[in-house]
Amino acid sequence: MQIPTSTTFASKGTVLNFNLSPTDIERGAEALFEQGKKIQDDVVAQTNPTFANVFIPLATHENKEGADRSVLTFLQSVSTNMSAFEIESVMREDVYRAVRAMFDNAIEMASLGPEDHRLVEKMELTFRRHGLAFDKEKREHLDKIRMHLSELAIMFSHNINEGDGRAVLTCDELEGLPRDFFEGCATEIMAKREETRERMFVVEGQRCPDNIPTLQEAVALRLEAAQLLGYKTHAEFVLEENMAMAPAPVLEFEEDLRSRLNVLADKEIEEIEALKKADKQA
């Protein structure tokens, strides 16, 4: 039986193809993985790594398969396979050696234009940020952390999607709601009793208590991974590749934004309090 190509994932650009069966998705994903692995193997086989035989194949494949990769990113909510493949791709030491050889080639680097030069720098940094400059033991430890973080993220999202906050209320406590509320009603209709609204708000906010230890573990692992890579915090690691580049400018921006918005927030709170007061007096 012929394995479908990666193009079966999406139809009309990046729109998800909803006609795919689970078998189609599995086979198509496997084909996409194999395509990426072959290109990486071809890069590793180069005896004289250059921009043409290392970076162009890797970058072209990344661009060409972008739509299908975005679909697979969506599908990772169903399975951890995609995350595992992505982590494996950026943890290949042999591919990094080819990338690094080109990066360290001063003559080749000097021949590149600004965009190509930036591509080389970004790709080398991506591999280095995944610990490829480490020894084997340290790199494997980082790999395990990343894999576990991926599993925790999927578990966290699954708990949110499946979590269902519940509260048992009497008809009196639901005063203000029509009888057909229990069959479905417009979202703008609200319960009149303040205590009921507060209770429902608390129930909604306390959904998925199982996510508390999951989140705590993920935060600890993120910090451990960042410090293993030589960063003080996870924020410092994440922001390195962003426009802000460091936590300090982000904190300054947030503080400036907060001071500007507080005036509007205070005014809005006053208006809400006035509406609540009028409602209670009615």
Side-chain angles (χ1 to χ4, degrees):
M1 185 175 294
Q2 184 179 3
I3 296 177
T5 63
S6 62
T7 54
T8 59
F9 280 114
S11 60
K12 296 182 178 179
T14 59
V15 177
L16 185 61
N17 183 355
F18 289 98
N19 293 322
L20 293 174
S21 68
T23 301
D24 291 333
I25 294 173
E26 182 177 358
R27 290 176 176 171
E30 194 64 36
L32 186 61
F33 299 163
E34 289 301 321
Q35 290 168 11
K37 184 177 183 300
K38 182 181 184 305
I39 289 174
Q40 290 177 331
D41 290 342
D42 290 343
V43 165
V44 171
Q46 301 300 323
T47 57
N48 180 32
T50 65
F51 183 79
N53 62 27
V54 172
F55 289 88
I56 288 182
L58 292 175
T60 300
H61 175 69
E62 181 179 351
N63 291 337
K64 183 179 178 181
E65 305 301 331
D68 288 333
R69 284 183 179 273
S70 66
V71 173
L72 283 173
T73 301
F74 167 78
L75 295 175
Q76 75 175 354
S77 298
V78 181
S79 170
T80 59
N81 289 345
M82 181 56 190
S83 295
F85 172 73
E86 293 289 351
I87 292 174
E88 179 184 343
S89 294
V90 293
M91 292 298 289
R92 286 191 56 167
E93 184 180 5
D94 51 359
V95 176
Y96 178 60
R97 283 198 296 266
V99 169
R100 186 71 197 193
M102 164 59 204
F103 180 79
D104 290 336
N105 189 329
I107 296 177
E108 185 77 12
M109 289 292 287
S111 68
L112 301 178
E115 291 183 1
D116 292 341
H117 197 282
R118 180 59 173 160
L119 172 62
V120 174
E121 291 179 333
K122 290 281 287 183
M123 193 174 293
E124 191 280 330
L125 178 61
T126 297
F127 278 100
R128 186 155 35 90
R129 281 165 58 87
H130 281 80
L132 270 296
F134 291 160
D135 58 42
K136 181 178 180 181
E137 182 179 357
K138 195 173 181 180
R139 188 171 63 251
E140 288 179 348
H141 179 54
L142 180 62
D143 190 15
K144 290 180 180 178
I145 293 176
R146 292 278 173 78
M147 291 292 290
H148 191 36
L149 277 171
S150 175
E151 294 168 355
L152 289 174
I154 293 173
M155 184 188 305
F156 187 92
S157 298
H158 175 78
N159 290 341
I160 290 292
N161 293 333
E162 298 297 324
D164 185 15
R166 294 176 180 273
V168 179
L169 301 168
T170 67
C171 289
D172 289 340
E173 288 174 319
L174 293 173
E175 177 189 0
L177 294 175
R179 288 293 177 182
D180 62 358
F181 168 78
F182 300 98
E183 300 175 3
C185 65
T187 57
E188 66 268 14
I189 298 177
M190 294 180 57
K192 288 185 176 180
R193 293 198 178 190
E194 179 180 347
E195 296 82 3
T196 299
R197 295 198 300 268
E198 179 182 5
R199 188 173 171 186
M200 295 302 298
F201 178 82
V202 171
V203 168
E204 175 66 19
Q206 292 180 341
R207 289 172 58 198
C208 307
D210 292 343
N211 269 346
I212 295 176
T214 301
L215 184 59
Q216 290 172 332
E217 184 178 5
V219 169
L221 287 174
R222 281 181 169 184
L223 178 60
E224 182 181 356
Q227 292 179 339
L228 193 64
L229 288 163
Y231 302 88
K232 294 180 181 179
T233 64
H234 176 69
E236 186 176 287
F237 167 75
V238 171
L239 292 169
E240 180 185 29
E241 293 188 299
N242 295 347
M243 185 171 63
M245 298 182 68
V250 175
L251 294 174
E252 291 175 6
F253 173 78
E254 289 182 346
E255 185 58 35
D256 178 65
L257 190 62
R258 183 181 296 109
S259 64
R260 294 171 184 268
L261 292 178
N262 276 344
V263 178
L264 298 175
D266 291 341
K267 181 180 179 181
E268 185 171 329
I269 290 174
E270 290 178 1
E271 294 174 353
I272 293 174
E273 288 177 341
L275 289 172
K276 182 175 180 180
K277 183 178 180 180
D279 180 67
K280 296 187 70 173
Q281 291 176 347

